[in-house]
Amino acid sequence: LSWKEEAKKRVAAEAVGHVKNGYIVGLGSGSTVAYAISNLSRKIKEEKLDVLCVPSSYQSSFIAVKEKIPLTTLDEYPILDLAIDGADQIDKKLNLIKGEGAALAREKIVASSAKKLIIIADETKLTANLGLDHHVPIEVLPFGAKFVLNRILKSGWKATLREGKGKVGPVITDNGNFIIDADFGIIKDPRELEMKLKNIPGIVETGLFIGMVDLAYIGTKAGKIQKLEKK
Amino acid sequence: LSWKEEAKKRVAAEAVGHVKNGYIVGLGSGSTVAYAISNLSRKIKEEKLDVLCVPSSYQSSFIAVKEKIPLTTLDEYPILDLAIDGADQIDKKLNLIKGEGAALAREKIVASSAKKLIIIADETKLTANLGLDHHVPIEVLPFGAKFVLNRILKSGWKATLREGKGKVGPVITDNGNFIIDADFGIIKDPRELEMKLKNIPGIVETGLFIGMVDLAYIGTKAGKIQKLEKK
């Protein structure tokens, strides 16, 4: 395994260490969360834990089913004890950009439903400047895609409709919507940008996760874990 | 026809009077807009106008097709010259509650795409207090419905998931989502409420239309038209 995969495995294990018997756990999406799901599966078997999980995407649901983790839904358990998720970019204030995997809307709902949100990532995701060399994925209603795209472009930013792979035309999210990738450059006030975007009709959710994270484990190339906590 | 239907027809004709040759027109939804579509169809034929319309729902699309009005999309024409829509409640500041027909998200996108938005309604829709004896429809992702419902209930308001007719279970919108009807009582600061709601993950759009209307025609029981203009 590369150092990055080793780092992901390490922080995944660290996060899963927070899971206690009786917990309802929200599962994020992506390659780092996949390690956490495998790790959690072993832990549940070894410690004979009574744990139920709520996946935030078909991807994490499929992995959880394969790993024989008992699943539930937010309808049954609207309050989660813990959610574990990854990030595409994370700054020292624990603000995130998410959505490379197009699962941002369900991830945000799962994260918001959890008493505690732990983010796991390798150190390439850590940035001093949120948005630097990184676009912000935005989920939009198909009907409003062109309108939202124009609104963002007219504000002087860059944005493109994300193309799908394995299908013609645009990506369709698990919710049946489109993804717009918008480039805002360095985001000095992510909360203000989030509110501006949310005010545009047609935007279902943005990949900006502001003030939501309680704890982050960052796996370094040197083989350590950097712990970042909410202040 | 009852006085209400007469009033709707009257304001529909008044709004259609604003349509000029070459216009791209956004069509809202609902029973009052249905009169406007019929009226516009006659006008297009009689005056041989070159007009294209963008419907905001399957309902208005079906009526427009029946009335042989040429249709287009926001993809082709992202800027509309005019949009005509109805309202469930309208106050003197021209703020609206919409969404009885569950078409609020597309209606808001169409309204936002238009250079001018004209609202038509009978006088029973006019209120001194937005929200008084009237719920606010909110479109939500099915995955987030319970979470949003709980979030609204925990804030001390009332809210229910809207049941469908002609199908079991909840209403499914034209976008494939659910509708929550929330009762906030009299809404003193609709803009603030709108921002609060938009901040809840899972909410796709709300039925609050704030500061969007340029002109409203209100049909009275006495057979007149009350004209309200944006200040």
Side-chain angles (χ1 to χ4, degrees):
Chain A
L1 281 184
S2 67
W3 76 262
K4 252 199 228 181
E5 298 307 308
E6 292 289 0
K8 288 178 185 180
K9 276 182 86 165
R10 208 179 311 124
V11 292
E14 197 72 20
V16 169
H18 287 259
V19 176
K20 290 176 186 163
N21 192 35
Y23 263 28
I24 313 294
V25 180
L27 304 174
S29 308
S31 58
T32 315
V33 171
Y35 286 121
I37 299 175
S38 301
N39 191 297
L40 180 57
S41 173
R42 278 198 303 279
K43 181 175 165 136
I44 289 172
K45 269 174 240 158
E46 283 170 19
E47 304 179 18
K48 293 185 178 128
L49 296 182
D50 182 21
V51 163
L52 292 171
C53 289
V54 175
S56 62
S57 62
Y58 290 126
Q59 182 231 16
S60 57
S61 177
F62 291 167
I63 298 171
V65 167
K66 199 182 154 202
E67 297 279 0
K68 298 191 166 55
I69 289 181
L71 296 180
T72 183
T73 64
L74 286 181
D75 292 334
E76 259 189 294
Y77 293 95
I79 295 169
L80 310 174
D81 297 292
L82 175 68
I84 300 171
D85 205 348
D88 303 320
Q89 214 174 36
I90 178 167
D91 70 10
K92 288 290 176 80
K93 288 175 184 164
L94 299 186
N95 292 325
L96 315 175
I97 294 176
K98 288 174 60 55
E100 269 322 286
L104 58 119
R106 292 194 186 191
E107 285 169 352
K108 213 171 198 174
I109 294 164
V110 165
S112 301
S113 303
K115 291 181 197 163
K116 189 173 190 169
L117 172 60
I118 301 179
I119 294 297
I120 48 179
D122 69 76
E123 67 175 329
T124 65
K125 309 295 176 62
L126 200 59
T127 182
N129 297 295
L130 207 69
L132 179 64
D133 296 330
H134 205 290
H135 56 254
V136 177
I138 298 167
E139 180 160 345
V140 297
L141 292 179
F143 185 83
K146 187 77 178 281
F147 168 73
V148 172
L149 206 53
N150 283 351
R151 191 62 88 83
I152 294 172
L153 293 173
K154 272 185 192 163
S155 300
W157 295 311
K158 286 175 201 163
T160 53
L161 188 65
R162 189 183 295 180
E163 284 288 308
K165 280 177 187 168
K167 76 176 285 295
V168 293
V171 160
I172 305 292
T173 70
D174 290 358
N175 305 310
N177 298 316
F178 290 174
I179 295 285
I180 285 174
D181 291 310
D183 188 353
F184 302 105
I186 293 175
I187 302 164
K188 286 187 183 154
D189 190 339
R191 200 175 291 272
E192 189 198 12
L193 176 61
E194 169 77 347
M195 290 315 282
K196 263 188 197 165
L197 291 173
K198 286 281 192 126
N199 222 9
I200 302 176
I203 289 186
V204 172
E205 197 48 81
T206 85
L208 291 168
F209 285 52
I210 313 304
M212 295 177 71
V213 181
D214 297 289
L215 185 60
Y217 290 120
I218 312 294
T220 69
K221 198 174 176 178
K224 306 266 184 207
I225 292 176
Q226 190 179 346
K227 186 179 178 181
L228 301 171
E229 275 181 286
K230 194 179 199 167
K231 268 159 204 161
Chain B
L1 281 185
S2 67
W3 76 262
K4 252 199 228 182
E5 298 306 309
E6 292 288 358
K8 288 178 185 182
K9 277 182 85 164
R10 206 178 313 121
V11 289
E14 197 71 19
V16 169
H18 287 258
V19 177
K20 290 175 186 165
N21 192 37
Y23 264 27
I24 313 294
V25 180
L27 304 174
S29 307
S31 59
T32 314
V33 170
Y35 286 120
I37 299 175
S38 301
N39 191 299
L40 180 56
S41 173
R42 278 198 304 277
K43 179 174 166 136
I44 288 172
K45 267 174 241 158
E46 282 170 20
E47 303 180 19
K48 291 184 178 129
L49 297 183
D50 182 21
V51 164
L52 291 171
C53 289
V54 175
S56 62
S57 62
Y58 290 124
Q59 182 231 17
S60 56
S61 178
F62 290 167
I63 299 172
V65 166
K66 199 181 155 203
E67 296 280 0
K68 297 193 168 56
I69 288 181
L71 296 181
T72 184
T73 65
L74 287 180
D75 292 335
E76 259 189 293
Y77 293 96
I79 296 169
L80 310 174
D81 297 292
L82 175 68
I84 300 171
D85 205 347
D88 302 321
Q89 214 173 37
I90 178 167
D91 71 9
K92 286 291 175 78
K93 289 175 185 164
L94 298 186
N95 292 326
L96 315 175
I97 295 176
K98 288 175 59 54
E100 270 319 289
L104 58 120
R106 293 194 184 192
E107 284 170 352
K108 213 170 197 173
I109 293 165
V110 164
S112 301
S113 302
K115 291 180 198 164
K116 190 171 190 170
L117 173 61
I118 301 180
I119 294 297
I120 48 179
D122 69 76
E123 68 175 329
T124 65
K125 309 296 175 64
L126 200 58
T127 181
N129 297 295
L130 206 68
L132 179 64
D133 295 329
H134 205 289
H135 56 255
V136 177
I138 297 168
E139 181 161 345
V140 298
L141 292 179
F143 185 84
K146 188 76 177 282
F147 168 74
V148 172
L149 207 52
N150 283 352
R151 191 63 86 83
I152 293 172
L153 293 173
K154 272 184 193 166
S155 300
W157 295 311
K158 287 176 202 164
T160 53
L161 188 65
R162 189 184 295 180
E163 285 288 309
K165 282 180 186 166
K167 78 175 283 294
V168 293
V171 159
I172 304 292
T173 70
D174 289 358
N175 304 309
N177 298 315
F178 290 175
I179 294 285
I180 286 175
D181 290 311
D183 188 352
F184 303 103
I186 292 175
I187 302 166
K188 285 188 182 156
D189 190 339
R191 199 175 292 272
E192 189 198 12
L193 176 61
E194 169 76 348
M195 290 315 282
K196 263 189 197 165
L197 292 172
K198 286 280 192 128
N199 221 12
I200 303 176
I203 289 187
V204 173
E205 196 50 81
T206 85
L208 291 168
F209 284 51
I210 314 303
M212 296 177 69
V213 180
D214 297 288
L215 186 61
Y217 290 120
I218 311 295
T220 68
K221 197 172 177 179
K224 305 268 180 197
I225 292 177
Q226 189 179 349
K227 185 179 179 182
L228 301 171
E229 273 180 287
K230 194 181 201 167
K231 269 164 201 154

